[in-house]
Amino acid sequence: MRFSGHVGLAALVLALATGCSGTARPGRADSSGSPASPPADRAAAERLAQRFVEAANAGDRQGVAAVFAENARFDSVGRIYRSREEIMTRFLVPEVLDAGGRYKATGSRWDGERYRVDYDFSTRSGGGESFSYAFLVRDGLIRDVLGRYH
């Protein structure tokens, strides 16, 4: 019976390593072999990311807030904001909008279910940096963003 325990443990490790959780994932077949729900509408996600940049570059607080779900999450290089309110009041308003921030897209691509956009960012005072945002969009709103320097 010791052997069975090792086999069970090996199966569990293999399931975790390959991402098998017993639940269907968007865009993948479920255990019955039928397709799961399709991936997010890519064109809509691309338009939403563009709306975000246009509103931010215009200093439009309401327009920026409107693209995020109420329970959105934003990981800005390890600083985690867990709601639209936190994203706006602790990050985007003070560090982007009030600073006169300007995003300039330098490239984009799809990473799985996320639309990643590379940006050069500058502020009114002459500060600048380059980074990317990987947007996860569901139901017409940004649900999660991973912001990383490159």
Side-chain angles (χ1 to χ4, degrees), residues 74-136:
F74 201 119
D75 175 346
S76 176
V77 194
R79 294 180 306 160
I80 310 296
Y81 306 98
R82 290 177 165 58
S83 68
R84 177 187 331 154
E85 181 181 351
E86 278 190 19
I87 292 166
M88 294 301 294
T89 61
R90 294 183 48 220
F91 175 50
L92 292 175
V93 169
E95 296 184 31
V96 175
L97 302 175
D98 286 351
R102 302 278 306 166
Y103 293 92
K104 179 183 175 194
T106 60
S108 64
R109 66 185 171 283
W110 280 90
D111 287 338
E113 294 181 315
R114 290 181 182 269
Y115 181 56
R116 178 181 162 164
V117 182
D118 299 323
Y119 297 105
D120 284 339
F121 178 79
S122 61
T123 63
R124 174 174 47 243
S125 65
E129 55 195 5
S130 296
F131 52 82
S132 65
Y133 288 162
F135 298 95
L136 180 65

